[in-house]
Amino acid sequence: MEEQTVVLIVGAGPAGLATAACLTKLSVPYAIVEREDCSASLWRNRAYDRLKLHLAKEFCELPHMPYPEDAPTYIPKDQFVKYLDNYIEHFDIRPKYHTTIESCTYDEDRKCWFSVARAVATSVVVRYTTRFLIVASGENSEANIPVIPGLHDFAGEAIHSSRFKSGAAYSGKKVLVVGCGNSGMEIAYDLASHGANTSIVVRSPVHVMTKEIIRLGMTLVQHIPVNVVDDLLVRLANFVFGDLLSHGIVRPKIGPLGLKAETGRSAVLDVGTVGLIKKGIIKVLGNISKIKGNIVEFENGKESTFDVIVFATGYKSTANTWLKNGESMLNNAGLPRKEFPNHWKGANGLYCAGLARRGLAGIAMDAKNIANDILSSYHA
Ligand SMILES: Cc1cc2nc3c(=O)[nH]c(=O)nc-3n(C[C@H](O)[C@H](O)[C@H](O)COP(=O)(O)OP(=O)(O)OC[C@H]3O[C@@H](n4cnc5c(N)ncnc54)[C@H](O)[C@@H]3O)c2cc1C
Ligand SMILES: *[C@@H]1O[C@H](CO)[C@@H](O)[C@H](O)[C@H]1NC(C)=O
Ligand SMILES: *[C@@H]1O[C@H](CO)[C@@H](O)[C@H](O)[C@H]1NC(C)=O
């Protein structure tokens, strides 16, 4: 099958949908493909039950569609999915589902992108010829699990956080959560609340905040320098949480908003985990050195048996595996070469949406920038 259109969007998560909506607004024709059989699969199929948007709703809107007036400040997963369903309907977005992009190549002579997509169920190949190509396949395309000696022979169950739904299944089990980002901390809380004997590996410094403190910071930083705001946020957080150092949690040297801007690393928004750590209900452990059977050994020489290990160790982009001639835009890790805010545009009509580690607000900015840029050269 051959298809010719102006723009091809790879991925129907929030970034692909936002870009599709912006192109529709500007009457630019496009096609959008998605490897799963639904949009926003990360939210529908790869997120735990109790997940809510971490940031207040005013920082999580996609372009051209506000949340309903009566929506809660922190939107639960199901309500976010419903918002996306309305979004798809409103902008009449029709992703070609169950279709995986296998390669995208730029043709210098014909000045267009050739993309090969394969229907997952039938293996039928669809070839797209487009003037513009938008990578919207996400920073969370594939689970990232660290290399640990002996992990393959672990006698218990090892899963990635994307497969974790609820702690209910682990009541009475001894569970080790690896990773102390938002997912790891919340999953540890969920496990402990469901009666699992829960430990968490905290490998690196992390800012523990409340969602209200971060919301205040995101509002203030629009008027006040980031280092001043960060200083205030750290004082507030220290006041709320008290001493965390003695519980094995170290704050980074750079403040939470500065760190996010510089490295993309988010602060952890506490859902109650810290309280359980302080009570000794959740135990904080250091780095793992190796695994033997069901015994996990730590760098400090201690060891302990576990029934389950949950790796909340993040994700990686896979765009570089199928995007050929993408060097102008992406590095070897499939992430933008150029710093924000110049990350979204490569050479020859190539763009990326949602790869700058700036969440839904970043996605909204990327989508608008890309659609406007395409419109200006499309009519040129
Ligand atoms: C647990 C969690 C909580 C988060 N909470 C927030 C929050 O509260 N606020 C916020 O602003 N951000 C949040 N984020 C960050 C970010 O907003 C989300 O990850 C968001 O879903 C990213 O959207 P995306 O479209 O860029 O990527 P994705 O949602 O990952 O969508 C990309 C899509 O591309 C598809 N795809 C990939 N490769 C191919 C291919 N080769 N061919 C076809 N299709 C392909 C995938 O199947 C996927 O559906 C959170 C992230 C996680 C993991
Ligand atoms: C829970 O796990 C910790 C750490 O491995 C262990 O020291 C403790 O004895 C366990 N508690 C129970 C009640 O099994
Ligand atoms: C844990 O290991 C990582 C690298 O894998 C290292 O950067 C970090 O400093 C270690 N943390 C501790 C507490 O030893």
Side-chain angles (χ1 to χ4, degrees):
M1 243 167 44
E2 310 268 337
E3 203 172 313
Q4 222 161 356
T5 181
V6 178
V7 185
L8 178 66
I9 303 172
V10 183
L17 299 175
T19 317
C22 291
L23 290 172
T24 301
K25 276 269 179 190
L26 302 176
S27 306
V28 178
Y30 68 86
I32 174 168
V33 294
E34 165 59 52
R35 67 180 175 191
E36 306 293 332
D37 58 2
C38 61
S39 65
S41 62
L42 181 68
W43 290 88
R44 284 180 220 268
N45 303 333
R46 287 183 280 150
Y48 44 93
D49 295 344
R50 50 168 288 133
L51 181 67
K52 290 185 177 151
L53 290 188
H54 297 140
L55 303 179
K57 61 180 175 183
E58 65 267 30
F59 302 109
C60 294
E61 259 169 26
L62 297 186
H64 309 302
M65 194 161 130
Y67 286 107
E69 284 285 336
D70 59 352
T73 306
Y74 299 94
I75 303 201
K77 178 177 87 166
D78 290 350
Q79 233 167 306
F80 181 60
V81 166
K82 191 141 191 288
Y83 168 80
L84 293 177
D85 282 336
N86 290 339
Y87 198 82
I88 290 170
E89 196 182 316
H90 185 263
F91 294 101
D92 192 24
I93 304 169
R94 298 177 195 188
K96 194 169 178 62
Y97 289 121
H98 242 187
T99 304
T100 306
I101 288 290
E102 291 186 340
S103 74
C104 297
T105 319
Y106 186 69
D107 185 320
E108 287 285 353
D109 299 330
R110 292 178 53 193
K111 304 260 175 279
C112 61
W113 287 91
F114 284 115
S115 302
V116 178
R118 190 180 297 272
V120 175
T122 59
S123 283
V124 169
V125 168
V126 190
R127 288 171 209 281
Y128 291 90
T129 309
T130 60
R131 199 161 134 200
F132 304 97
L133 177 68
I134 302 174
V135 177
S137 49
E139 299 155 341
N140 306 321
S141 203
E142 194 175 276
N144 181 52
I145 295 185
V147 180
I148 298 173
L151 174 58
H152 280 297
D153 303 318
F154 176 55
E157 177 190 357
I159 63 165
H160 186 260
S161 59
S162 54
R163 285 175 47 214
F164 181 90
K165 294 289 169 204
S166 158
Y170 301 103
S171 173
K173 297 255 167 85
K174 271 191 77 177
V175 187
L176 180 63
V177 179
V178 182
C180 62
N182 276 300
S183 294
M185 292 289 250
E186 187 157 11
I187 287 172
Y189 178 83
D190 198 46
L191 284 162
S193 331
H194 281 97
N197 181 355
T198 308
S199 303
I200 185 166
V201 171
V202 176
R203 292 176 302 170
S204 41
V206 59
H207 275 298
V208 181
M209 293 274 144
T210 67
K211 55 191 190 324
E212 292 79 15
I213 294 177
I214 285 294
R215 187 188 190 190
L216 172 73
M218 288 177 77
T219 308
L220 290 180
V221 83
Q222 295 167 359
H223 314 282
I224 303 173
V226 61
N227 56 330
V228 178
V229 177
D230 266 345
D231 193 52
L232 174 70
L233 301 192
V234 169
R235 279 165 199 268
L236 286 172
N238 285 342
F239 178 74
V240 171
F241 295 109
D243 168 44
L244 293 178
L245 203 56
S246 63
H247 297 279
I249 300 175
V250 182
R251 273 194 197 284
K253 293 203 174 63
I254 311 172
L257 300 183
L259 192 70
K260 177 74 195 167
E262 248 175 60
T263 66
R265 279 179 53 207
S266 301
V268 168
L269 307 175
D270 183 50
V271 294
T273 319
V274 169
L276 297 186
I277 288 174
K278 287 189 153 178
K279 284 189 193 148
I281 294 173
I282 296 175
K283 287 154 281 291
V284 176
L285 303 173
N287 276 348
I288 298 177
S289 56
K290 62 172 179 282
I291 296 174
K292 276 192 312 211
N294 60 353
I295 302 168
V296 177
E297 279 185 34
F298 297 89
E299 276 178 359
N300 62 6
K302 291 196 177 142
E303 55 176 48
S304 194
T305 59
F306 288 95
D307 303 313
V308 182
I309 305 177
V310 181
F311 285 98
T313 38
Y315 293 88
K316 48 194 174 195
S317 164
T318 53
N320 52 327
T321 61
W322 48 262
L323 177 63
K324 318 295 170 193
N325 325 113
E327 305 77 14
S328 63
M329 187 171 76
L330 301 184
N331 61 23
N332 290 339
L335 293 171
R337 260 179 208 292
K338 285 182 236 157
E339 303 254 323
F340 175 90
N342 303 311
H343 59 281
W344 52 275
K345 187 175 178 180
N348 304 320
L350 179 63
Y351 300 91
C352 64
L355 294 186
R357 303 192 72 180
R358 276 164 200 263
L360 297 162
I363 284 173
M365 282 176 67
D366 290 349
K368 286 189 239 173
N369 283 333
I370 292 169
N372 289 334
D373 200 70
I374 288 180
L375 183 72
S376 61
S377 45
Y378 171 52
H379 286 312

